[in-house]
Short mmCIF file of all heavy atoms in Angstrom, two decimals:
data_model
loop_
_atom_site.label_atom_id
_atom_site.label_comp_id
_atom_site.label_asym_id
_atom_site.label_seq_id
_atom_site.Cartn_x
_atom_site.Cartn_y
_atom_site.Cartn_z
N VAL P 9 192.39 33.52 -73.80
CA VAL P 9 193.76 33.23 -73.59
C VAL P 9 194.03 33.02 -72.07
O VAL P 9 194.86 32.30 -71.70
CB VAL P 9 194.71 34.25 -74.21
CG1 VAL P 9 196.11 34.05 -73.85
CG2 VAL P 9 194.50 34.29 -75.74
N LEU P 15 195.12 26.63 -66.91
CA LEU P 15 195.48 25.22 -67.29
C LEU P 15 196.97 25.06 -66.96
O LEU P 15 197.37 23.99 -66.34
CB LEU P 15 195.28 24.96 -68.73
CG LEU P 15 195.63 23.62 -69.30
CD1 LEU P 15 194.88 22.52 -68.55
CD2 LEU P 15 195.42 23.60 -70.75
N PHE P 34 193.29 28.87 -78.99
CA PHE P 34 194.21 29.93 -79.44
C PHE P 34 195.07 30.25 -78.25
O PHE P 34 194.96 31.36 -77.66
CB PHE P 34 193.50 31.13 -79.97
CG PHE P 34 192.51 30.74 -81.03
CD1 PHE P 34 191.11 30.77 -80.73
CD2 PHE P 34 192.92 30.34 -82.26
CE1 PHE P 34 190.23 30.49 -81.75
CE2 PHE P 34 192.01 29.94 -83.30
CZ PHE P 34 190.65 30.00 -82.97
N SER P 40 193.09 39.63 -86.01
CA SER P 40 192.33 39.77 -87.28
C SER P 40 193.18 40.49 -88.31
O SER P 40 193.67 41.60 -88.04
CB SER P 40 191.00 40.62 -86.97
OG SER P 40 190.36 40.93 -88.12
N LEU P 50 195.41 35.93 -88.33
CA LEU P 50 196.89 35.79 -88.36
C LEU P 50 197.32 35.20 -86.99
O LEU P 50 196.55 35.24 -85.98
CB LEU P 50 197.58 37.17 -88.51
CG LEU P 50 197.26 37.83 -89.86
CD1 LEU P 50 197.90 39.31 -89.83
CD2 LEU P 50 197.91 37.06 -90.98
N LEU P 61 202.24 28.15 -70.71
CA LEU P 61 201.80 26.78 -71.12
C LEU P 61 202.97 25.88 -71.50
O LEU P 61 203.08 24.67 -71.09
CB LEU P 61 200.76 26.87 -72.22
CG LEU P 61 200.27 25.53 -72.81
CD1 LEU P 61 199.52 24.85 -71.62
CD2 LEU P 61 199.37 25.82 -73.98
N GLN P 69 204.54 15.31 -67.25
CA GLN P 69 204.73 13.96 -67.81
C GLN P 69 203.97 13.74 -69.08
O GLN P 69 203.74 12.65 -69.42
CB GLN P 69 204.35 12.94 -66.73
CG GLN P 69 205.32 12.92 -65.54
CD GLN P 69 206.78 12.69 -65.88
OE1 GLN P 69 207.05 11.73 -66.55
NE2 GLN P 69 207.60 13.58 -65.47
N THR P 86 209.43 29.47 -82.00
CA THR P 86 210.69 29.83 -81.34
C THR P 86 210.60 29.60 -79.81
O THR P 86 211.55 29.03 -79.23
CB THR P 86 211.07 31.26 -81.65
OG1 THR P 86 211.17 31.49 -83.02
CG2 THR P 86 212.38 31.66 -80.94
N ILE P 87 209.52 29.95 -79.28
CA ILE P 87 209.34 29.71 -77.81
C ILE P 87 209.23 28.24 -77.52
O ILE P 87 209.88 27.69 -76.62
CB ILE P 87 208.07 30.42 -77.30
CG1 ILE P 87 208.24 31.95 -77.41
CG2 ILE P 87 207.69 29.98 -75.90
CD1 ILE P 87 207.02 32.76 -77.28
N LEU P 92 210.90 22.20 -75.44
CA LEU P 92 210.47 20.91 -75.77
C LEU P 92 210.96 19.87 -74.71
O LEU P 92 212.16 19.92 -74.35
CB LEU P 92 211.01 20.43 -77.15
CG LEU P 92 210.20 20.90 -78.32
CD1 LEU P 92 210.85 20.41 -79.62
CD2 LEU P 92 208.72 20.34 -78.23
N VAL P 95 210.30 14.12 -72.65
CA VAL P 95 209.32 13.10 -72.34
C VAL P 95 208.27 13.02 -73.48
O VAL P 95 207.68 11.95 -73.73
CB VAL P 95 208.50 13.44 -71.03
CG1 VAL P 95 207.38 12.58 -70.77
CG2 VAL P 95 209.50 13.52 -69.87
N LEU P 99 203.87 14.87 -81.11
CA LEU P 99 203.58 16.23 -81.26
C LEU P 99 202.85 16.49 -82.53
O LEU P 99 203.34 16.20 -83.65
CB LEU P 99 204.90 17.12 -81.25
CG LEU P 99 204.73 18.65 -81.32
CD1 LEU P 99 204.00 19.17 -80.13
CD2 LEU P 99 206.09 19.29 -81.48
N ASP P 103 197.84 22.19 -89.16
CA ASP P 103 197.14 23.35 -89.51
C ASP P 103 197.40 24.61 -88.65
O ASP P 103 196.51 25.32 -88.23
CB ASP P 103 195.60 23.12 -89.53
CG ASP P 103 194.80 24.12 -90.40
OD1 ASP P 103 195.45 24.95 -91.12
OD2 ASP P 103 193.56 24.17 -90.24
N PRO P 105 200.04 27.99 -88.92
CA PRO P 105 200.83 28.79 -89.87
C PRO P 105 202.28 28.92 -89.45
O PRO P 105 202.72 30.04 -89.12
CB PRO P 105 200.08 30.10 -90.03
CG PRO P 105 199.39 30.31 -88.68
CD PRO P 105 199.03 28.88 -88.23
N ASP P 112 206.50 32.94 -95.37
CA ASP P 112 207.85 33.27 -95.68
C ASP P 112 208.69 33.61 -94.44
O ASP P 112 209.75 34.16 -94.56
CB ASP P 112 207.89 34.53 -96.70
CG ASP P 112 207.31 35.77 -96.04
OD1 ASP P 112 206.70 35.66 -94.92
OD2 ASP P 112 207.31 36.87 -96.73
N PHE P 114 210.77 31.87 -91.75
CA PHE P 114 211.29 30.46 -91.49
C PHE P 114 212.09 30.35 -90.22
O PHE P 114 212.27 29.19 -89.80
CB PHE P 114 212.23 30.08 -92.65
CG PHE P 114 211.55 30.04 -94.00
CD1 PHE P 114 212.36 30.10 -95.14
CD2 PHE P 114 210.22 29.90 -94.18
CE1 PHE P 114 211.68 30.07 -96.42
CE2 PHE P 114 209.59 29.85 -95.37
CZ PHE P 114 210.37 29.98 -96.51
N ASP P 115 212.45 31.34 -89.55
CA ASP P 115 213.27 31.23 -88.41
C ASP P 115 212.65 30.39 -87.25
O ASP P 115 213.33 29.55 -86.67
CB ASP P 115 213.61 32.59 -87.79
CG ASP P 115 214.66 33.37 -88.63
OD1 ASP P 115 215.16 32.77 -89.52
OD2 ASP P 115 214.75 34.63 -88.47
N ALA P 119 214.15 26.83 -86.00
CA ALA P 119 214.51 26.68 -84.59
C ALA P 119 213.84 25.45 -84.00
O ALA P 119 214.49 24.63 -83.24
CB ALA P 119 214.17 27.91 -83.73
N CYS P 137 200.95 22.98 -92.49
CA CYS P 137 201.58 24.05 -91.64
C CYS P 137 202.38 25.03 -92.43
O CYS P 137 203.16 25.81 -91.92
CB CYS P 137 202.57 23.30 -90.70
SG CYS P 137 201.76 22.42 -89.34
N PRO P 142 212.40 25.24 -98.60
CA PRO P 142 213.53 25.40 -97.64
C PRO P 142 213.34 24.80 -96.29
O PRO P 142 214.31 24.38 -95.67
CB PRO P 142 213.68 26.99 -97.55
CG PRO P 142 213.04 27.47 -98.80
CD PRO P 142 211.92 26.55 -99.09
N CYS P 144 211.67 22.03 -95.79
CA CYS P 144 211.88 20.60 -95.93
C CYS P 144 213.36 20.28 -96.07
O CYS P 144 213.80 19.23 -95.63
CB CYS P 144 211.04 20.00 -97.08
SG CYS P 144 209.34 20.07 -96.67
N GLN P 168 199.80 18.24 -97.37
CA GLN P 168 199.13 19.54 -97.53
C GLN P 168 199.97 20.74 -97.28
O GLN P 168 199.60 21.75 -96.67
CB GLN P 168 197.73 19.59 -96.72
CG GLN P 168 196.76 18.57 -97.08
CD GLN P 168 195.58 18.60 -96.26
OE1 GLN P 168 195.65 18.52 -95.03
NE2 GLN P 168 194.39 18.78 -96.89
N ILE P 171 205.73 21.72 -100.24
CA ILE P 171 207.09 21.25 -100.19
C ILE P 171 207.76 21.00 -101.56
O ILE P 171 208.93 20.95 -101.68
CB ILE P 171 207.23 20.01 -99.31
CG1 ILE P 171 206.42 18.82 -99.93
CG2 ILE P 171 206.83 20.29 -97.93
CD1 ILE P 171 206.71 17.53 -99.19
N GLY P 173 206.70 22.96 -104.31
CA GLY P 173 206.48 24.14 -105.15
C GLY P 173 207.62 25.21 -105.03
O GLY P 173 208.53 25.08 -104.25
#
Side-chain angles (χ1 to χ4, degrees):
V9 174
L15 180 61
F34 309 106
S40 173
L50 295 173
L61 178 64
Q69 293 302 307
T86 300
I87 294 166
L92 279 176
V95 176
L99 180 61
D103 201 12
D112 61 355
F114 299 158
D115 290 346
C137 285
C144 289
Q168 296 178 306
I171 63 174

